[in-house]
Amino acid sequence: MTTHLKEEIPEILQNHGNSIAGKHMRKPDLMVGKDMMNNSNNIKSKDVGVRKGLWSPEEDEKLLRYMISKGQGCWSDIARNAGLQRCGKSCRLRWINYLRPDLKRGAFSPQEQHLIIHLHSILGNRWSQIAARLPGRTDNEIKNFWNSTVKKRLKTNSDSCESRDQVLGCENGIMPINELMTMCMDSSSTTSSSMHDMVLTHDQQFDPFPMLTNSYDMVDGVDGDYGILESNKMGLERDFSLPSLESRSIENENNSAPIDVKSHNNHFNNICINNTEQIQNSHVEDLFGFGNHGHGENLRMGEWDLEGLMQDISYFPSPNFQF
DNA sequence: AATGCGATCAACCGCCGATGT
DNA sequence: AACATCGGCGGTTGATCGCAT
């Protein structure tokens, strides 16, 4: 990793502001130790000595430095090798939700809010999928935003029969798709690419700072083909306009022949057109069979084309949400 | 100034699927 | 086939903030 990145560590940590030191934090320094073994049936032997709760600045720096120098790998190994008394999951979460340098900070822009609303109408509570469409934003962030701000606003305005889009000031309940695209392009320009959308083979070293180490060729994706470029010799698939949900599983079961994207678009377009009436009377989530039921869904996201859906997003009404 | 309470958000929990042994 | 491990995900918790009273 480049020297300048190492020099940026203090700055990156500094940029996280005061929240790093205990704002909205759980109690720090919880430790699953030997003395606790007798008190809990849930503590596994390997959890002995694992810290929980607040991440100290020192821990953040350890993890950040390790990620910079070694890159991503097995999170359990990362926790161990970085000298952190944390479980791998905790390290992963900390990195994804907080330390990743391509994270945006600050409040959601109105465009981002619109996009979240729309994507939620399509995807339901699939926060990670929604986050994949909002470069620099995390699923946790979006989930928190939804559960606090949006739910509240929708509830508050439901009495006055305002749609979710009107709640956010979008006329006709439909945000122009080109506006959404522009918003996504803007996001991409600042963060280049969502890490979610990178496909790596087992032996490929993960680059934790793709936006700093790659100079991307931007695609003209405004007129329809929001292409997934396969220009990367490492085998990375990257989408430079809309981060693509399909980038991870667009291939068929044999991982050989790519699915015909256009036929998928057409298929979905037909669904949209033919079912407009139904859609207007139904929950989008119900129509597509993936409500808030994270696991075990009948239809995997990668098996249909969201780009087509995004293009046809105007077919969807603004459903009255029920919570 | 003190208190109550809702909002915010980082982090944990538990589950699931994939993968390895 | 059975089990263990791991990564990923959505749901939930709980500490803190900030505003209202």
Side-chain angles (χ1 to χ4, degrees):
Chain A
M1 192 53 65
T2 55
T3 307
H4 72 279
L5 284 175
K6 292 181 180 179
E7 291 169 353
E8 287 175 357
I9 290 175
E11 186 179 351
I12 291 171
L13 290 170
Q14 185 71 32
N15 288 340
H16 288 309
N18 57 0
S19 63
I20 206 166
K23 191 178 179 181
H24 298 139
M25 290 288 187
R26 288 166 180 262
K27 281 184 179 177
D29 298 329
L30 293 176
M31 182 82 80
V32 180
K34 289 180 179 177
D35 55 334
M36 296 177 66
M37 287 294 288
N38 296 331
N39 299 329
S40 173
N41 296 325
N42 296 326
I43 298 172
K44 301 170 185 176
S45 59
K46 70 171 192 172
D47 291 332
V48 172
V50 173
R51 270 174 60 92
K52 289 187 176 182
L54 169 69
W55 274 71
S56 68
E58 291 75 23
E59 286 177 307
D60 282 334
E61 186 171 347
K62 279 183 181 178
L63 180 57
L64 193 54
R65 285 189 186 281
Y66 186 88
M67 294 300 292
I68 287 172
S69 60
K70 304 290 185 183
Q72 189 167 330
C74 173
W75 285 107
S76 300
D77 294 340
I78 289 172
R80 199 180 314 115
N81 297 335
L84 292 163
Q85 292 177 303
R86 296 272 180 175
C87 67
K89 279 182 121 175
S90 181
C91 293
R92 174 184 164 271
L93 210 61
R94 186 63 176 173
W95 174 255
I96 288 173
N97 288 336
Y98 204 77
L99 293 175
R100 251 171 55 197
D102 64 334
L103 287 177
K104 273 188 185 177
R105 308 233 160 242
F108 287 100
S109 68
Q111 288 81 9
E112 286 177 310
Q113 294 180 26
H114 283 300
L115 190 55
I116 290 169
I117 300 286
H118 274 287
L119 287 172
H120 188 274
S121 73
I122 298 164
L123 297 166
N125 291 3
R126 295 179 162 219
W127 307 116
S128 64
Q129 300 284 348
I130 295 172
R133 292 271 156 183
L134 287 155
R137 299 297 188 179
T138 69
D139 54 355
N140 211 27
E141 201 175 5
I142 294 168
K143 181 169 57 183
N144 284 332
F145 170 70
W146 182 271
N147 286 333
S148 57
T149 309
V150 179
K151 264 191 178 179
K152 184 187 65 182
R153 274 195 254 177
L154 288 173
K155 185 176 174 64
T156 302
N157 289 277
S158 63
D159 293 340
S160 57
C161 301
E162 289 183 70
S163 73
R164 68 172 80 202
D165 297 292
Q166 288 168 319
V167 166
L168 291 171
C170 186
E171 291 183 9
N172 303 324
I174 297 168
M175 188 176 190
I177 190 62
N178 58 346
E179 191 175 333
L180 289 172
M181 294 300 154
T182 303
M183 174 258 159
C184 288
M185 292 292 287
D186 291 343
S187 300
S188 296
S189 67
T190 56
T191 61
S192 295
S193 176
S194 166
M195 283 183 163
H196 290 89
D197 294 311
M198 297 174 184
V199 178
L200 295 165
T201 60
H202 271 297
D203 53 355
Q204 285 167 353
Q205 182 82 1
F206 183 79
D207 179 2
F209 306 107
M211 67 301 200
L212 296 173
T213 56
N214 294 281
S215 58
Y216 295 145
D217 297 322
M218 295 301 292
V219 198
D220 181 11
V222 179
D223 285 330
D225 286 327
Y226 308 99
I228 301 165
L229 286 188
E230 296 191 21
S231 58
N232 193 307
K233 293 179 181 177
M234 294 288 289
L236 299 177
E237 292 181 345
R238 284 177 175 153
D239 173 4
F240 299 101
S241 48
L242 274 176
S244 173
L245 296 170
E246 295 72 34
S247 62
R248 284 183 287 191
S249 53
I250 192 71
E251 293 177 357
N252 67 9
E253 291 176 354
N254 298 324
N255 288 328
S256 54
I259 292 171
D260 183 345
V261 175
K262 286 188 177 179
S263 71
H264 269 242
N265 282 345
N266 291 337
H267 176 63
F268 196 87
N269 291 349
N270 290 336
I271 292 173
C272 292
I273 294 168
N274 294 335
N275 292 293
T276 302
E277 280 189 37
Q278 289 179 324
I279 290 170
Q280 287 172 344
N281 296 321
S282 308
H283 282 262
V284 176
E285 297 157 17
D286 294 335
L287 286 170
F288 292 96
F290 48 81
N292 306 343
H293 322 299
H295 305 295
E297 61 270 23
N298 295 327
L299 189 61
R300 293 174 53 196
M301 284 304 304
E303 293 171 352
W304 53 281
D305 179 66
L306 189 63
E307 306 304 343
L309 177 57
M310 292 297 291
Q311 290 176 29
D312 291 301
I313 202 163
S314 60
Y315 287 113
F316 293 99
S318 299
N320 296 320
F321 257 60
Q322 296 171 356
F323 297 110

